[in-house]
Amino acid sequence: MTDIDAPVVIIGAGPVGLATALVLGRHGVRSVVFEQYDGINPHPRAHVVNTRSMELFRTWGIADAVRAEAADPSWAGTILWKQTLAGEPLGRIELVEGPEDQLLRRIHASAEQLTSCAQDRVQRHLLDAVLAQGMATVHYSTTVVEVTDLGDRVDVTVEGVGGRQTLRTRYAVAADGATGGMRDRLGIAMDGSPVLGHQLNIYFHADLSPWMREDPALLVWLINSASPGLLIGMDGVRRWTFQKSFDPAVESPQDYPPERCARIIREAVGTTELDVDIRSVGPWIMTARTAETYRSGRVFLVGDAAHQFPPTGGLGMNSGLADADNLGWKLAAVLRGGASDALLDGYERERRPVAVDNARHSMLNAIKMAEVGIGPETTRIAARLESSDPAVAAAERRRIAEAIPPQRPHFDALNQEIGYVYGAARHDDGAPLSATDYTPIAAPGARLPHAWIERAGERVSTHDLLIPGFTLITGPGGANWADAFAETGQDVAKRTVVIGRDVTSPDGHCPELLGIGEDGALLVRPDGHIAWHSAEGSSPASALAALLNAAEQSA
């Protein structure tokens, strides 16, 4: 038995596991990360980095690096439907040509914008940040084989190059993905849909410029009888993935050697003359499930270990990154700030409803995509497109063209990205909230609204004011709130920002947007969500004490 100099063990060094380590380190908490594989998986899986994740990356100092490796914005907003890549478009969605009010809403909502960056590149930047921070140790080629919760501590047994050993720590975080196994070993069941389908993700290198040069697109949905699927441009130059369905009842991933995969890619492109370098093939299961609980004693689930969604909406990795941010500050508050352990129950209470709603949204997207030939209707629709009767083929093309524009919320769901409010119902009178119509609100549980302000002559976002602690933002006459905040005895990092003294709002819009006016104030948690508003309680000091003691929930 070895006591380690880190109160948290993290199982899995994917994006969510590394994000958890990074957040803990920002709060002064050391961690140890164990990853069964020998390094970052070069096979790109997720690629959507939504607005909230880019805001987190901005806070963590890696937004510029991720943006530098992201898809070119000039074509990343284009989604095409074709029969083959070499064929004529059946229809398209241009995200930059949407309704003006929707575009302006997205531009004004955040200092950051949704982008596309291959998961392996995102993971590299997270790993670099973790290593530079120096608060976590990452062990590759090391498998966690057992976790034993002893009530006041956790024993973690690992196997690696040094053999088997058992380590003693305070808490463990399972970030080992959908198939990692730790959730099942903890006996945590999943709620949600049955398996919706089995997919193969074929990662390959090829020069597709003859077909992409004049009409580039991030996503190309291909509907044909020979090789239907989804082509994703990871860099728009050489790196691509192709998603196709397969039936595990009659075949396995081993039945897809490089030669067969290369033939599938050529059929999807619509040419026999293409040099295809198959890099890897990865199977995955399409489902929409959420863990019944996110906590088992001193062990927590984050990311795909806690929830799995269809990729229709790009919410999987992004939800996991927000999980890490939410859990990380709470673990730190308990470990360093003396907060009640009950604060950790708020992690599931806040994050699970978001996951359930993201699963709902992703499922609706997947079902709606059947209208344009993606899913169980692919074979029938492809047959109509390829009909020897020109009238049948033309009618089907017209039908698909009309069905494509309503798919826009699948790809542009700002409210789903940043509009969730902890502690608030995600549905109004049984009707789903709009995925697109985001309206900033300054209320407990909501993400702090973004506004451009000036600090020392520099244009910054309200999000740039936040620290790895609690931030009190007051109106120009908010000195009394600042004094009250200073009175709290809680051992946590604190900052007070007075608009008009520490920062200025050139257009005068910021106090109004934050709902604090001349004399009001609001208290922002370490994860950027509002803990308290001047209209909601007696003082920020009492609100902070109540939050950390978990005597009542202010968000």
Side-chain angles (χ1 to χ4, degrees):
M1 182 68 59
T2 303
D3 288 318
I4 58 174
D5 183 26
V8 182
V9 163
I10 300 168
I11 307 164
V16 178
L18 292 172
T20 304
L22 188 61
V23 173
L24 287 170
R26 282 171 49 81
H27 291 276
V29 174
R30 301 190 65 82
S31 62
V32 177
V33 185
F34 294 112
E35 170 57 59
Q36 62 177 322
Y37 298 109
D38 60 3
I40 293 174
N41 187 347
H43 186 120
R45 288 161 288 176
H47 67 98
V48 175
V49 185
N50 72 19
T51 305
R52 186 59 188 144
S53 292
M54 285 301 294
E55 289 177 347
L56 294 177
F57 290 170
R58 182 186 182 96
T59 298
W60 302 342
I62 63 171
D64 288 343
V66 170
R67 194 180 300 108
E69 292 202 80
D72 187 333
S74 67
W75 57 265
T78 300
I79 300 100
L80 287 177
W81 279 258
K82 291 185 170 186
Q83 286 182 260
T84 65
L85 185 62
E88 293 298 315
L90 297 167
R92 69 177 64 229
I93 291 175
E94 297 284 359
L95 295 180
V96 297
E97 296 177 2
E100 183 178 4
D101 62 334
Q102 205 165 307
L103 294 175
L104 291 175
R105 186 182 297 121
R106 181 172 281 279
I107 290 170
H108 294 314
S110 178
E112 298 290 342
Q113 297 296 320
L114 175 149
T115 190
S116 176
C117 183
Q119 179 176 320
D120 59 316
R121 304 298 169 86
V122 170
Q123 200 166 331
R124 166 54 59 188
H125 295 306
L126 283 166
L127 178 60
D128 289 346
V130 166
L131 297 179
Q133 187 184 67
M135 294 296 292
T137 305
V138 182
H139 297 276
Y140 287 101
S141 302
T142 306
T143 301
V144 174
V145 296
E146 186 177 1
V147 173
T148 305
D149 187 344
L150 301 175
D152 61 346
R153 61 195 184 282
V154 179
D155 284 353
V156 180
T157 302
V158 301
E159 283 187 350
V161 293
R164 177 183 285 235
Q165 59 178 323
T166 299
L167 311 171
R168 181 157 291 172
T169 188
R170 297 277 301 279
Y171 292 97
V173 177
D176 54 342
T179 60
M182 185 53 61
R183 180 191 62 246
D184 292 338
R185 276 175 268 173
L186 294 171
I188 298 176
M190 300 285 279
D191 286 335
S193 72
V195 173
L196 302 173
H198 294 263
Q199 298 282 316
L200 284 180
N201 182 334
I202 303 172
Y203 169 42
F204 68 98
H205 290 182
D207 178 11
L208 302 185
S209 60
W211 305 277
M212 284 290 202
R213 184 184 301 112
E214 299 301 322
D215 195 10
L218 177 68
L219 307 175
V220 185
W221 303 86
L222 302 169
I223 308 171
N224 58 71
S225 57
S227 186
L230 169 63
L231 182 69
I232 306 176
M234 289 296 164
D235 64 1
V237 181
R238 291 285 299 174
R239 305 181 79 216
W240 312 88
T241 62
F242 185 70
Q243 313 280 343
K244 75 174 301 292
S245 62
F246 80 107
D247 185 355
V250 297
E251 58 184 353
S252 73
Q254 287 68 43
D255 294 318
Y256 286 82
E259 305 80 28
R260 182 183 181 188
C261 289
R263 184 170 66 253
I264 288 170
I265 299 303
R266 294 187 188 100
E267 290 174 339
V269 172
T271 181
T272 58
E273 303 298 326
L274 178 66
D275 182 17
V276 181
D277 178 13
I278 302 297
R279 311 293 290 188
S280 54
V281 179
W284 57 277
I285 298 173
M286 184 182 293
T287 187
R289 306 189 304 163
T290 308
E292 290 184 349
T293 179
Y294 280 22
R295 180 181 189 181
S296 176
R298 288 179 168 263
V299 186
F300 297 85
L301 306 181
V302 294
D304 285 355
H307 46 70
Q308 294 120 47
F309 317 135
T312 40
L315 293 168
M317 179 180 71
N318 293 292
S319 297
L321 294 170
D323 290 345
D325 201 39
N326 186 292
L327 177 61
W329 81 261
K330 290 173 179 172
L331 278 171
V334 172
L335 289 165
R336 298 190 72 246
S340 166
D341 181 82
L343 176 67
L344 297 172
D345 292 331
Y347 164 60
E348 175 184 322
R349 186 163 50 247
E350 293 179 344
R351 291 303 303 165
R352 190 175 187 277
V354 176
V356 169
D357 195 65
N358 284 344
R360 176 198 63 82
H361 175 73
S362 301
M363 276 288 292
L364 290 176
N365 286 340
I367 292 169
K368 194 169 181 61
M369 285 292 281
E371 299 174 5
V372 289
I374 310 303
E377 294 294 297
T378 299
T379 300
R380 183 184 65 82
I381 292 175
R384 291 175 63 84
L385 288 172
E386 297 166 1
S387 172
S388 57
D389 184 339
V392 171
E396 188 62 19
R397 290 178 68 91
R398 287 194 300 271
R399 189 198 65 79
I400 290 176
E402 293 172 357
I404 286 174
Q407 307 291 329
R408 186 184 179 92
H410 174 163
F411 308 99
D412 187 11
L414 181 62
N415 201 38
Q416 205 73 27
E417 298 174 44
I418 62 176
Y420 53 86
V421 179
Y422 294 143
R426 291 292 291 159
H427 298 76
D428 183 16
D429 296 329
L433 297 176
S434 168
T436 57
D437 295 336
Y438 168 73
T439 300
I441 60 171
R447 152 196 167 276
L448 176 70
H450 153 75
W452 289 114
I453 54 179
E454 287 190 5
R455 178 178 59 187
E458 179 185 6
R459 185 173 184 253
V460 300
S461 168
T462 46
H463 293 177
D464 298 328
L465 303 177
L466 307 182
I467 63 169
F470 288 82
T471 305
L472 182 72
I473 303 176
T474 83
N480 57 320
W481 296 118
D483 293 341
F485 190 41
E487 292 173 4
T488 179
Q490 297 293 336
D491 184 21
V492 295
K494 294 176 289 184
R495 168 185 282 177
T496 299
V497 178
V498 178
I499 297 174
R501 185 193 71 184
D502 303 310
V503 299
T504 59
S505 176
D507 59 4
H509 180 55
C510 183
E512 177 185 354
L513 179 66
L514 300 184
I516 57 177
E518 176 71 19
D519 301 319
L522 56 79
L523 181 66
V524 188
R525 308 185 327 185
D527 60 357
H529 284 255
I530 298 171
W532 168 89
H533 192 278
S534 62
E536 302 291 334
S538 58
S539 78
S542 61
L544 178 59
L547 177 64
L548 294 182
N549 290 329
E552 63 184 35
Q553 295 302 308
S554 61

